[in-house]
Amino acid sequence: MTDTQPPRTGMLISVRTRRDVVVTDPARFLAAAREALRAAGEPAEVTDVCDAVHALLDRDGALAADSVPGELLGRGGLRPGERVTDRPDGLSPAGWLQEVVLDDPHPLQDYGCFLPEDPFALPPRHDPPDTAAG
C-alpha cells in the first residue's frame, strides 16, 4: 500500500495471512495432532491431514507456532528446498506472509452463514480519476 490513510469510523481492515509448512514426518505430525486433541479432552482419532491441521490450529493458533523467528524469507532464512527435520510436530516452517486490505465491501460477520463464493478474493480497487487528461 503506497497511500497513507487515517483510520475512520466504519473502516474495514482485513488481515489476510498465508503460512506454509512442509510435512517432514507424517507420523510425528499425526501424533502431535492427537496429543492436541487429548489435551483438549477430545477423542484423539486423527488420520486426515485437515483434521490434524485443525487440531493444531485450535491448540496453538498457528501451525508450527513457535517457529516464527526462523521463518525468514530471503536473507537470513532457510535456503529454498532446505527443511527442518527434527521438530516434534513433523513440520518444517516454509514461510509466512500477511497483507492488510482496507475497505473490503463487507466484514465476514455480515455474511452470516452464507459466506461469499471466495472469501479471500480481494475487493475491487478504486483508483482515483485521472486528472492529467485534457
Side-chain angles (χ1 to χ4, degrees):
M1 192 163 72
T2 57
D3 297 330
T4 60
Q5 292 189 30
R8 66 182 186 287
T9 302
M11 175 182 266
L12 177 58
I13 302 169
S14 299
V15 179
R16 293 154 193 258
T17 302
R18 174 177 171 172
R19 182 180 189 100
D20 292 353
V21 298
V22 175
V23 176
T24 58
D25 188 320
R28 281 191 291 180
F29 174 55
L30 291 175
R34 290 181 186 121
E35 177 55 36
L37 288 174
R38 275 193 292 277
E42 298 181 31
E45 299 175 20
V46 178
T47 57
D48 177 74
V49 69
C50 289
D51 291 341
V53 167
H54 285 292
L56 294 174
L57 288 175
D58 288 346
R59 182 186 69 188
D60 300 331
L63 288 177
D66 63 343
S67 63
V68 173
E71 285 190 274
L72 298 173
L73 292 176
R75 187 174 157 188
L78 294 174
R79 292 178 176 234
E82 286 184 10
R83 304 290 182 242
V84 177
T85 58
D86 59 351
R87 289 179 50 93
D89 60 8
L91 298 173
S92 178
W96 66 280
L97 299 169
Q98 287 185 321
E99 177 182 22
V100 175
V101 177
L102 302 178
D103 292 321
D104 209 317
H106 302 286
L108 293 174
Q109 173 188 11
D110 290 357
Y111 287 100
C113 295
F114 303 101
L115 289 175
E117 184 175 325
D118 183 359
F120 294 99
L122 295 174
R125 287 191 65 171
H126 297 288
D127 293 326
D130 184 6
T131 57

